[in-house]
Amino acid sequence: MRFMIIVKANKDSEAGVMPSSEAIAKMGVFNEKMIEAGVMLAGDGLHPSSKGARIKSENGKIVVTDGPFSETKELIAGFWMIQTKSYEEALEWCKRIPFDPGMEVELRKAFEASDFVSDSITEEHLAKEQEFRDAQKPISNG
């Protein structure tokens, strides 16, 4: 099962304040543990919303709104993609995150082709998705 751990933005991350060297070192140790365990697929921090944009379709037209965006609590500051055997295992990894005061994360399961109604997806599509998933190996040291 694949899960996304979403790191919520806060006023500091939205102001472009970088984490302390100590915080970065602690995250590095945590990332190494996930890599060694073979669960980490990807992970990155994101620039503030002031350097981004929202793109949507509105009445048949594409509308682009440049950041920053006001609702910090709805923004993402970073993420990890992990692969575990269960929700409980993913939750255990979340509990090991070296949280800074006020840091919040959200755990969400990624959809797999098998989650969709069987008549809405073809066997060919399922096979192609599985081939793609098999090519995505967790990050490892070797």
Side-chain angles (χ1 to χ4, degrees), residues 3-142:
F3 293 89
M4 178 175 271
I5 302 169
I6 301 164
V7 179
K8 300 295 199 130
N10 60 34
K11 66 180 178 113
D12 285 343
S13 65
E14 275 300 289
V17 175
M18 296 299 287
S20 68
S21 297
E22 182 180 324
I24 291 172
K26 287 179 183 178
M27 278 303 169
V29 170
F30 175 68
N31 288 345
E32 280 297 318
K33 288 178 181 176
M34 288 199 300
I35 291 167
E36 289 169 5
V39 300
M40 186 169 171
L41 297 173
D44 276 306
L46 301 173
H47 282 270
S49 69
S50 61
K51 296 184 177 185
R54 288 186 175 157
I55 301 92
K56 68 178 178 179
S57 173
E58 194 171 89
N59 298 322
K61 294 184 179 185
I62 300 299
V63 178
V64 177
T65 304
D66 292 325
F69 307 113
S70 59
E71 289 296 322
T72 303
K73 67 182 181 182
E74 296 176 5
L75 299 175
I76 299 170
F79 69 94
W80 288 280
M81 279 301 292
I82 62 173
Q83 186 168 352
T84 62
K85 293 179 180 142
S86 67
Y87 170 81
E88 292 76 19
E89 182 184 354
L91 190 57
E92 286 304 313
W93 279 106
C94 289
K95 291 176 181 178
R96 295 170 66 185
I97 294 169
F99 285 92
D100 280 340
M103 182 179 170
E104 179 181 2
V105 300
E106 181 177 328
L107 179 64
R108 304 275 298 275
K109 185 178 183 298
F111 275 107
E112 306 286 344
S114 59
D115 292 324
F116 294 93
V117 179
S118 62
D119 64 350
S120 67
I121 194 162
T122 66
E123 288 297 320
E124 179 183 359
H125 182 83
L126 286 171
K128 284 182 180 179
E129 180 171 304
Q130 188 59 50
E131 183 180 319
F132 173 74
R133 297 282 172 240
D134 290 344
Q136 289 182 322
K137 299 294 181 207
I139 298 171
S140 68
N141 285 334

